[in-house]
Amino acid sequence: MNEKQLQGMMSASPEKRYKSFLTTVADLEEVWLLSSKDGYATFDADGYINLLVWPRKEFAELFKNNDEEVVSMEVHEFVEQCENVEENIRFMVFPTYDNSYVVDSEKFINDINLHLDEVE
């Protein structure tokens, strides 16, 4: 991915980035997260714990702190893990410093599975 493509996606609307996330993770079969000794990177808001996820390593690296590393999870394993999250867990999909698409686990799992069905 070149710099122009990277910046284009970073400036896209949250909805466009969400759709891109679904297509990309279905094609590449991996989800990218930030991990530290305390676990995966989250953002607490409105009584929810939001897990941050990206479709490609390059995007996650833009948000990495010194004590974090960029890690991937195979998409089917990720979906399986998502099926067991508590009700107060949501997902910040493809966040930027300006905004993100926030979704609950049920919708997120369904959307990922729909895209996986299309490519498998």
Side-chain angles (χ1 to χ4, degrees), residues 7-44:
Q7 291 305 318
M9 284 308 301
M10 293 299 291
S11 62
S13 71
E15 294 78 13
K16 183 174 182 177
R17 290 195 317 271
Y18 182 68
K19 289 176 184 174
S20 174
F21 174 92
L22 295 171
T23 302
T24 303
V25 300
D27 287 343
L28 302 179
E29 296 192 354
E30 59 188 357
V31 175
W32 292 89
L33 307 104
L34 298 177
S35 180
S36 71
K37 64 179 175 63
D38 298 322
Y40 293 116
T42 60
F43 180 80
D44 295 356

mmCIF file of all heavy atoms in Angstrom, residues 7-44:
data_model
loop_
_atom_site.group_PDB
_atom_site.id
_atom_site.type_symbol
_atom_site.label_atom_id
_atom_site.label_comp_id
_atom_site.label_asym_id
_atom_site.label_seq_id
_atom_site.Cartn_x
_atom_site.Cartn_y
_atom_site.Cartn_z
ATOM 1 N N GLN A 7 -3.204 7.484 2.953
ATOM 2 C CA GLN A 7 -3.831 8.756 3.339
ATOM 3 C C GLN A 7 -5.273 8.845 2.846
ATOM 4 O O GLN A 7 -6.132 9.412 3.527
ATOM 5 C CB GLN A 7 -2.998 9.935 2.818
ATOM 6 C CG GLN A 7 -1.667 10.074 3.512
ATOM 7 C CD GLN A 7 -1.794 10.174 5.023
ATOM 8 O OE1 GLN A 7 -2.663 10.852 5.564
ATOM 9 N NE2 GLN A 7 -0.920 9.460 5.723
ATOM 10 N N GLY A 8 -5.553 8.279 1.676
ATOM 11 C CA GLY A 8 -6.913 8.281 1.156
ATOM 12 C C GLY A 8 -7.868 7.542 2.087
ATOM 13 O O GLY A 8 -8.971 8.020 2.369
ATOM 14 N N MET A 9 -7.447 6.380 2.572
ATOM 15 C CA MET A 9 -8.300 5.625 3.487
ATOM 16 C C MET A 9 -8.413 6.314 4.841
ATOM 17 O O MET A 9 -9.472 6.301 5.451
ATOM 18 C CB MET A 9 -7.771 4.199 3.662
ATOM 19 C CG MET A 9 -8.068 3.293 2.483
ATOM 20 S SD MET A 9 -9.819 3.266 1.985
ATOM 21 C CE MET A 9 -10.629 2.711 3.455
ATOM 22 N N MET A 10 -7.345 6.932 5.304
ATOM 23 C CA MET A 10 -7.383 7.618 6.600
ATOM 24 C C MET A 10 -8.339 8.808 6.571
ATOM 25 O O MET A 10 -8.913 9.162 7.592
ATOM 26 C CB MET A 10 -5.976 8.075 7.007
ATOM 27 C CG MET A 10 -5.032 6.926 7.317
ATOM 28 S SD MET A 10 -5.583 5.887 8.675
ATOM 29 C CE MET A 10 -5.384 7.018 10.038
ATOM 30 N N SER A 11 -8.535 9.413 5.411
ATOM 31 C CA SER A 11 -9.426 10.573 5.323
ATOM 32 C C SER A 11 -10.842 10.185 4.889
ATOM 33 O O SER A 11 -11.725 11.036 4.836
ATOM 34 C CB SER A 11 -8.844 11.618 4.370
ATOM 35 O OG SER A 11 -8.742 11.093 3.074
ATOM 36 N N ALA A 12 -11.075 8.909 4.604
ATOM 37 C CA ALA A 12 -12.411 8.454 4.197
ATOM 38 C C ALA A 12 -13.383 8.493 5.376
ATOM 39 O O ALA A 12 -12.973 8.533 6.545
ATOM 40 C CB ALA A 12 -12.325 7.035 3.640
ATOM 41 N N SER A 13 -14.656 8.456 5.087
ATOM 42 C CA SER A 13 -15.678 8.463 6.145
ATOM 43 C C SER A 13 -15.599 7.174 6.964
ATOM 44 O O SER A 13 -15.107 6.144 6.474
ATOM 45 C CB SER A 13 -17.070 8.580 5.527
ATOM 46 O OG SER A 13 -17.408 7.353 4.875
ATOM 47 N N PRO A 14 -16.080 7.208 8.204
ATOM 48 C CA PRO A 14 -16.087 5.986 9.018
ATOM 49 C C PRO A 14 -16.831 4.835 8.339
ATOM 50 O O PRO A 14 -16.394 3.680 8.416
ATOM 51 C CB PRO A 14 -16.794 6.414 10.303
ATOM 52 C CG PRO A 14 -16.586 7.881 10.389
ATOM 53 C CD PRO A 14 -16.573 8.365 8.965
ATOM 54 N N GLU A 15 -17.928 5.144 7.663
ATOM 55 C CA GLU A 15 -18.706 4.104 6.986
ATOM 56 C C GLU A 15 -17.903 3.469 5.852
ATOM 57 O O GLU A 15 -17.926 2.252 5.682
ATOM 58 C CB GLU A 15 -20.025 4.684 6.442
ATOM 59 C CG GLU A 15 -20.995 5.131 7.511
ATOM 60 C CD GLU A 15 -20.662 6.488 8.142
ATOM 61 O OE1 GLU A 15 -19.805 7.255 7.609
ATOM 62 O OE2 GLU A 15 -21.239 6.781 9.204
ATOM 63 N N LYS A 16 -17.191 4.283 5.089
ATOM 64 C CA LYS A 16 -16.374 3.757 3.993
ATOM 65 C C LYS A 16 -15.232 2.911 4.555
ATOM 66 O O LYS A 16 -14.912 1.855 4.004
ATOM 67 C CB LYS A 16 -15.828 4.893 3.130
ATOM 68 C CG LYS A 16 -15.035 4.395 1.952
ATOM 69 C CD LYS A 16 -14.622 5.507 1.023
ATOM 70 C CE LYS A 16 -13.869 4.920 -0.163
ATOM 71 N NZ LYS A 16 -13.503 5.933 -1.134
ATOM 72 N N ARG A 17 -14.618 3.364 5.642
ATOM 73 C CA ARG A 17 -13.541 2.590 6.249
ATOM 74 C C ARG A 17 -14.071 1.269 6.802
ATOM 75 O O ARG A 17 -13.404 0.242 6.712
ATOM 76 C CB ARG A 17 -12.831 3.399 7.343
ATOM 77 C CG ARG A 17 -12.018 4.553 6.794
ATOM 78 C CD ARG A 17 -11.037 5.135 7.804
ATOM 79 N NE ARG A 17 -11.564 5.302 9.133
ATOM 80 C CZ ARG A 17 -12.204 6.387 9.586
ATOM 81 N NH1 ARG A 17 -12.411 7.420 8.780
ATOM 82 N NH2 ARG A 17 -12.628 6.450 10.830
ATOM 83 N N TYR A 18 -15.291 1.275 7.355
ATOM 84 C CA TYR A 18 -15.886 0.038 7.865
ATOM 85 C C TYR A 18 -16.082 -0.963 6.726
ATOM 86 O O TYR A 18 -15.711 -2.141 6.840
ATOM 87 C CB TYR A 18 -17.219 0.330 8.562
ATOM 88 C CG TYR A 18 -17.881 -0.889 9.170
ATOM 89 C CD1 TYR A 18 -17.308 -1.534 10.259
ATOM 90 C CD2 TYR A 18 -19.078 -1.382 8.671
ATOM 91 C CE1 TYR A 18 -17.907 -2.650 10.829
ATOM 92 C CE2 TYR A 18 -19.688 -2.494 9.233
ATOM 93 C CZ TYR A 18 -19.099 -3.120 10.321
ATOM 94 O OH TYR A 18 -19.693 -4.227 10.880
ATOM 95 N N LYS A 19 -16.629 -0.500 5.623
ATOM 96 C CA LYS A 19 -16.833 -1.388 4.463
ATOM 97 C C LYS A 19 -15.496 -1.902 3.941
ATOM 98 O O LYS A 19 -15.361 -3.077 3.587
ATOM 99 C CB LYS A 19 -17.606 -0.654 3.369
ATOM 100 C CG LYS A 19 -19.059 -0.415 3.736
ATOM 101 C CD LYS A 19 -19.772 0.391 2.683
ATOM 102 C CE LYS A 19 -21.202 0.678 3.141
ATOM 103 N NZ LYS A 19 -21.923 1.569 2.246
ATOM 104 N N SER A 20 -14.504 -1.036 3.906
ATOM 105 C CA SER A 20 -13.171 -1.443 3.470
ATOM 106 C C SER A 20 -12.585 -2.474 4.427
ATOM 107 O O SER A 20 -11.957 -3.450 4.003
ATOM 108 C CB SER A 20 -12.255 -0.225 3.385
ATOM 109 O OG SER A 20 -10.934 -0.614 3.102
ATOM 110 N N PHE A 21 -12.789 -2.265 5.715
ATOM 111 C CA PHE A 21 -12.317 -3.222 6.717
ATOM 112 C C PHE A 21 -12.900 -4.603 6.435
ATOM 113 O O PHE A 21 -12.179 -5.599 6.394
ATOM 114 C CB PHE A 21 -12.729 -2.753 8.123
ATOM 115 C CG PHE A 21 -12.406 -3.743 9.202
ATOM 116 C CD1 PHE A 21 -11.202 -3.677 9.894
ATOM 117 C CD2 PHE A 21 -13.295 -4.756 9.540
ATOM 118 C CE1 PHE A 21 -10.893 -4.593 10.878
ATOM 119 C CE2 PHE A 21 -13.001 -5.683 10.532
ATOM 120 C CZ PHE A 21 -11.796 -5.602 11.196
ATOM 121 N N LEU A 22 -14.209 -4.667 6.239
ATOM 122 C CA LEU A 22 -14.878 -5.957 6.026
ATOM 123 C C LEU A 22 -14.337 -6.662 4.783
ATOM 124 O O LEU A 22 -14.054 -7.870 4.812
ATOM 125 C CB LEU A 22 -16.383 -5.756 5.908
ATOM 126 C CG LEU A 22 -17.083 -5.239 7.168
ATOM 127 C CD1 LEU A 22 -18.527 -4.871 6.858
ATOM 128 C CD2 LEU A 22 -17.000 -6.243 8.300
ATOM 129 N N THR A 23 -14.177 -5.932 3.710
ATOM 130 C CA THR A 23 -13.669 -6.512 2.465
ATOM 131 C C THR A 23 -12.226 -6.984 2.634
ATOM 132 O O THR A 23 -11.867 -8.091 2.240
ATOM 133 C CB THR A 23 -13.754 -5.480 1.326
ATOM 134 O OG1 THR A 23 -15.115 -5.067 1.178
ATOM 135 C CG2 THR A 23 -13.238 -6.051 0.022
ATOM 136 N N THR A 24 -11.408 -6.154 3.246
ATOM 137 C CA THR A 24 -9.989 -6.463 3.392
ATOM 138 C C THR A 24 -9.760 -7.661 4.304
ATOM 139 O O THR A 24 -8.984 -8.561 3.972
ATOM 140 C CB THR A 24 -9.220 -5.239 3.920
ATOM 141 O OG1 THR A 24 -9.433 -4.142 3.024
ATOM 142 C CG2 THR A 24 -7.734 -5.528 4.037
ATOM 143 N N VAL A 25 -10.431 -7.698 5.464
ATOM 144 C CA VAL A 25 -10.196 -8.832 6.373
ATOM 145 C C VAL A 25 -10.734 -10.129 5.787
ATOM 146 O O VAL A 25 -10.177 -11.198 6.042
ATOM 147 C CB VAL A 25 -10.740 -8.595 7.808
ATOM 148 C CG1 VAL A 25 -10.075 -7.385 8.447
ATOM 149 C CG2 VAL A 25 -12.231 -8.486 7.845
ATOM 150 N N ALA A 26 -11.777 -10.059 4.983
ATOM 151 C CA ALA A 26 -12.274 -11.266 4.324
ATOM 152 C C ALA A 26 -11.269 -11.747 3.275
ATOM 153 O O ALA A 26 -11.027 -12.956 3.151
ATOM 154 C CB ALA A 26 -13.635 -11.013 3.684
ATOM 155 N N ASP A 27 -10.670 -10.826 2.545
ATOM 156 C CA ASP A 27 -9.689 -11.184 1.513
ATOM 157 C C ASP A 27 -8.370 -11.673 2.109
ATOM 158 O O ASP A 27 -7.819 -12.680 1.673
ATOM 159 C CB ASP A 27 -9.400 -9.994 0.598
ATOM 160 C CG ASP A 27 -10.544 -9.681 -0.344
ATOM 161 O OD1 ASP A 27 -11.433 -10.542 -0.532
ATOM 162 O OD2 ASP A 27 -10.559 -8.563 -0.899
ATOM 163 N N LEU A 28 -7.854 -10.939 3.095
ATOM 164 C CA LEU A 28 -6.539 -11.254 3.660
ATOM 165 C C LEU A 28 -6.605 -12.229 4.840
ATOM 166 O O LEU A 28 -5.583 -12.745 5.279
ATOM 167 C CB LEU A 28 -5.820 -9.968 4.089
ATOM 168 C CG LEU A 28 -5.602 -8.935 2.983
ATOM 169 C CD1 LEU A 28 -4.906 -7.699 3.538
ATOM 170 C CD2 LEU A 28 -4.809 -9.539 1.830
ATOM 171 N N GLU A 29 -7.802 -12.406 5.378
ATOM 172 C CA GLU A 29 -8.080 -13.331 6.480
ATOM 173 C C GLU A 29 -7.293 -13.031 7.753
ATOM 174 O O GLU A 29 -6.871 -13.936 8.470
ATOM 175 C CB GLU A 29 -7.874 -14.783 6.044
ATOM 176 C CG GLU A 29 -8.848 -15.201 4.958
ATOM 177 C CD GLU A 29 -8.875 -16.684 4.714
ATOM 178 O OE1 GLU A 29 -8.056 -17.431 5.301
ATOM 179 O OE2 GLU A 29 -9.739 -17.114 3.923
ATOM 180 N N GLU A 30 -7.114 -11.728 8.040
ATOM 181 C CA GLU A 30 -6.495 -11.344 9.300
ATOM 182 C C GLU A 30 -7.015 -9.987 9.750
ATOM 183 O O GLU A 30 -7.414 -9.159 8.946
ATOM 184 C CB GLU A 30 -4.972 -11.347 9.206
ATOM 185 C CG GLU A 30 -4.408 -10.433 8.159
ATOM 186 C CD GLU A 30 -2.912 -10.610 7.960
ATOM 187 O OE1 GLU A 30 -2.279 -11.404 8.678
ATOM 188 O OE2 GLU A 30 -2.376 -9.949 7.075
ATOM 189 N N VAL A 31 -7.004 -9.818 11.072
ATOM 190 C CA VAL A 31 -7.420 -8.581 11.723
ATOM 191 C C VAL A 31 -6.217 -8.095 12.521
ATOM 192 O O VAL A 31 -5.499 -8.886 13.132
ATOM 193 C CB VAL A 31 -8.620 -8.837 12.672
ATOM 194 C CG1 VAL A 31 -8.992 -7.581 13.443
ATOM 195 C CG2 VAL A 31 -9.813 -9.360 11.885
ATOM 196 N N TRP A 32 -6.012 -6.788 12.524
ATOM 197 C CA TRP A 32 -4.855 -6.203 13.216
ATOM 198 C C TRP A 32 -5.292 -5.443 14.455
ATOM 199 O O TRP A 32 -6.294 -4.713 14.430
ATOM 200 C CB TRP A 32 -4.094 -5.293 12.264
ATOM 201 C CG TRP A 32 -3.437 -6.091 11.186
ATOM 202 C CD1 TRP A 32 -3.979 -6.443 9.984
ATOM 203 C CD2 TRP A 32 -2.155 -6.686 11.233
ATOM 204 N NE1 TRP A 32 -3.094 -7.216 9.282
ATOM 205 C CE2 TRP A 32 -1.961 -7.379 10.023
ATOM 206 C CE3 TRP A 32 -1.137 -6.698 12.188
ATOM 207 C CZ2 TRP A 32 -0.791 -8.075 9.735
ATOM 208 C CZ3 TRP A 32 0.032 -7.385 11.899
ATOM 209 C CH2 TRP A 32 0.202 -8.067 10.690
ATOM 210 N N LEU A 33 -4.527 -5.628 15.535
ATOM 211 C CA LEU A 33 -4.813 -5.006 16.825
ATOM 212 C C LEU A 33 -3.507 -4.494 17.422
ATOM 213 O O LEU A 33 -2.423 -4.843 16.962
ATOM 214 C CB LEU A 33 -5.415 -6.032 17.790
ATOM 215 C CG LEU A 33 -6.626 -6.817 17.303
ATOM 216 C CD1 LEU A 33 -6.236 -8.225 16.924
ATOM 217 C CD2 LEU A 33 -7.667 -6.854 18.391
ATOM 218 N N LEU A 34 -3.646 -3.701 18.471
ATOM 219 C CA LEU A 34 -2.486 -3.267 19.249
ATOM 220 C C LEU A 34 -2.504 -4.028 20.562
ATOM 221 O O LEU A 34 -3.546 -4.148 21.204
ATOM 222 C CB LEU A 34 -2.542 -1.764 19.512
ATOM 223 C CG LEU A 34 -2.503 -0.869 18.286
ATOM 224 C CD1 LEU A 34 -2.653 0.595 18.694
ATOM 225 C CD2 LEU A 34 -1.211 -1.070 17.502
ATOM 226 N N SER A 35 -1.351 -4.543 20.953
ATOM 227 C CA SER A 35 -1.261 -5.346 22.162
ATOM 228 C C SER A 35 -0.125 -4.833 23.043
ATOM 229 O O SER A 35 0.912 -4.390 22.545
ATOM 230 C CB SER A 35 -1.002 -6.810 21.786
ATOM 231 O OG SER A 35 -0.905 -7.609 22.925
ATOM 232 N N SER A 36 -0.350 -4.908 24.354
ATOM 233 C CA SER A 36 0.685 -4.556 25.328
ATOM 234 C C SER A 36 0.622 -5.577 26.458
ATOM 235 O O SER A 36 -0.199 -6.501 26.421
ATOM 236 C CB SER A 36 0.452 -3.145 25.880
ATOM 237 O OG SER A 36 -0.685 -3.130 26.720
ATOM 238 N N LYS A 37 1.442 -5.381 27.468
ATOM 239 C CA LYS A 37 1.419 -6.305 28.604
ATOM 240 C C LYS A 37 0.062 -6.303 29.308
ATOM 241 O O LYS A 37 -0.299 -7.261 29.974
ATOM 242 C CB LYS A 37 2.538 -5.974 29.587
ATOM 243 C CG LYS A 37 2.423 -4.619 30.244
ATOM 244 C CD LYS A 37 3.552 -4.382 31.223
ATOM 245 C CE LYS A 37 3.537 -3.006 31.810
ATOM 246 N NZ LYS A 37 2.404 -2.653 32.591
ATOM 247 N N ASP A 38 -0.722 -5.249 29.114
ATOM 248 C CA ASP A 38 -2.044 -5.134 29.730
ATOM 249 C C ASP A 38 -3.163 -5.715 28.875
ATOM 250 O O ASP A 38 -4.318 -5.724 29.282
ATOM 251 C CB ASP A 38 -2.364 -3.664 30.030
ATOM 252 C CG ASP A 38 -1.367 -3.064 31.019
ATOM 253 O OD1 ASP A 38 -0.960 -3.763 31.956
ATOM 254 O OD2 ASP A 38 -0.996 -1.892 30.821
ATOM 255 N N GLY A 39 -2.855 -6.167 27.669
ATOM 256 C CA GLY A 39 -3.871 -6.721 26.772
ATOM 257 C C GLY A 39 -3.995 -5.892 25.520
ATOM 258 O O GLY A 39 -3.115 -5.095 25.178
ATOM 259 N N TYR A 40 -5.103 -6.071 24.837
ATOM 260 C CA TYR A 40 -5.340 -5.338 23.589
ATOM 261 C C TYR A 40 -5.739 -3.896 23.870
ATOM 262 O O TYR A 40 -6.355 -3.597 24.899
ATOM 263 C CB TYR A 40 -6.438 -6.016 22.764
ATOM 264 C CG TYR A 40 -6.035 -7.372 22.243
ATOM 265 C CD1 TYR A 40 -6.696 -8.513 22.643
ATOM 266 C CD2 TYR A 40 -4.979 -7.505 21.345
ATOM 267 C CE1 TYR A 40 -6.322 -9.765 22.178
ATOM 268 C CE2 TYR A 40 -4.596 -8.748 20.872
ATOM 269 C CZ TYR A 40 -5.267 -9.866 21.290
ATOM 270 O OH TYR A 40 -4.900 -11.094 20.822
ATOM 271 N N ALA A 41 -5.413 -3.019 22.936
ATOM 272 C CA ALA A 41 -5.731 -1.598 23.075
ATOM 273 C C ALA A 41 -7.246 -1.392 23.021
ATOM 274 O O ALA A 41 -7.926 -1.929 22.147
ATOM 275 C CB ALA A 41 -5.059 -0.789 21.972
ATOM 276 N N THR A 42 -7.746 -0.614 23.981
ATOM 277 C CA THR A 42 -9.166 -0.304 24.052
ATOM 278 C C THR A 42 -9.341 1.184 24.316
ATOM 279 O O THR A 42 -8.405 1.882 24.704
ATOM 280 C CB THR A 42 -9.871 -1.095 25.176
ATOM 281 O OG1 THR A 42 -9.267 -0.766 26.438
ATOM 282 C CG2 THR A 42 -9.811 -2.586 24.931
ATOM 283 N N PHE A 43 -10.576 1.628 24.134
ATOM 284 C CA PHE A 43 -10.952 2.999 24.421
ATOM 285 C C PHE A 43 -12.277 2.940 25.160
ATOM 286 O O PHE A 43 -13.247 2.377 24.650
ATOM 287 C CB PHE A 43 -11.087 3.793 23.109
ATOM 288 C CG PHE A 43 -11.477 5.222 23.319
ATOM 289 C CD1 PHE A 43 -10.541 6.165 23.689
ATOM 290 C CD2 PHE A 43 -12.795 5.619 23.142
ATOM 291 C CE1 PHE A 43 -10.909 7.488 23.874
ATOM 292 C CE2 PHE A 43 -13.172 6.943 23.325
ATOM 293 C CZ PHE A 43 -12.222 7.879 23.700
ATOM 294 N N ASP A 44 -12.314 3.467 26.374
ATOM 295 C CA ASP A 44 -13.537 3.444 27.178
ATOM 296 C C ASP A 44 -14.377 4.683 26.888
ATOM 297 O O ASP A 44 -13.869 5.804 26.916
ATOM 298 C CB ASP A 44 -13.205 3.409 28.667
ATOM 299 C CG ASP A 44 -12.492 2.126 29.069
ATOM 300 O OD1 ASP A 44 -12.317 1.235 28.222
ATOM 301 O OD2 ASP A 44 -12.101 2.008 30.244
#
